[in-house]
Amino acid sequence: MDKNKLKELLELFQESDIAELEYRRTFWGGVSVRLRRYAETVVASAPVAPAAPAAPAAPAPAPETASVSAPEAAPEAESGHLVRSPMVGTMYHASSPESDAFIKIGDTVAKGQTLCIIEAMKIMNEIESDAAGKVVRILVGNGEPVEYNQPLVELE
């Protein structure tokens, strides 16, 4: 998506009363846009190189960034075992949209059992459990982006 299209989309979003908009192309499209309105601030993210003078705008979004980052810190304090992402990519709960999810909350998993798939660079990588246990929480939604070492699943 070029900068002009992104700017046009941002202007349309600001003029409307839509609270959140997400646009993705799967696999070969390579486009991902998410616009979310917090109070009266608009946050936009897309795979576009950031502009250099971003520092002056930092004071306004800083509270929003802190509130968004806070839930990610919460899983760290849990007492269960966290299975973490070994890579950056997109997490999928099943091998295809028609298939059942690999795991559900309450399932008992064995060490080495497939928990999910992470798509990275158009390659589907099966993520296996590094421990046996009961699935307490699935921390990332289907189709959501994940970062390296981000907690994916909590086991008891």
Side-chain angles (χ1 to χ4, degrees):
M1 173 176 273
D2 66 11
K3 290 181 182 179
N4 291 333
K5 293 276 187 190
L6 184 60
K7 185 177 177 182
E8 182 181 332
L9 183 61
L10 184 58
E11 288 171 357
L12 288 170
F13 185 76
Q14 287 174 332
E15 293 170 3
S16 72
D17 59 348
I18 298 173
E20 182 174 348
L21 170 82
E22 183 171 322
Y23 169 75
R24 291 184 189 198
R25 281 192 187 163
T26 57
F27 300 107
W28 310 115
V31 174
S32 175
V33 176
R34 171 182 274 174
L35 301 170
R36 183 178 296 173
R37 192 180 313 270
Y38 293 104
E40 294 186 22
T41 303
V42 176
V43 178
S45 67
V48 177
E64 302 303 329
T65 304
S67 67
V68 171
S69 298
E72 290 180 17
E76 302 293 335
E78 296 298 327
S79 60
H81 176 75
L82 296 175
V83 177
R84 297 176 176 275
S85 175
M87 64 190 68
V88 174
T90 303
M91 180 172 160
Y92 294 104
H93 292 191
S95 58
S96 72
E98 300 82 30
S99 300
D100 291 334
F102 290 109
I103 58 170
K104 299 183 298 286
I105 294 174
D107 286 354
T108 301
V109 296
K111 183 175 181 178
Q113 180 178 339
T114 301
L115 302 176
C116 62
I117 291 177
I118 295 182
E119 176 192 2
M121 297 177 61
K122 310 301 181 213
I123 297 173
M124 301 301 191
N125 302 281
E126 289 188 359
I127 307 304
E128 298 176 348
S129 177
D130 56 358
K134 181 179 175 181
V135 178
V136 178
R137 292 192 305 164
I138 300 172
L139 302 167
V140 179
N142 191 42
E144 290 185 2
V146 295
E147 295 294 327
Y148 173 75
N149 207 30
Q150 178 178 345
L152 303 174
V153 177
E154 181 181 356
L155 301 177
E156 181 179 76

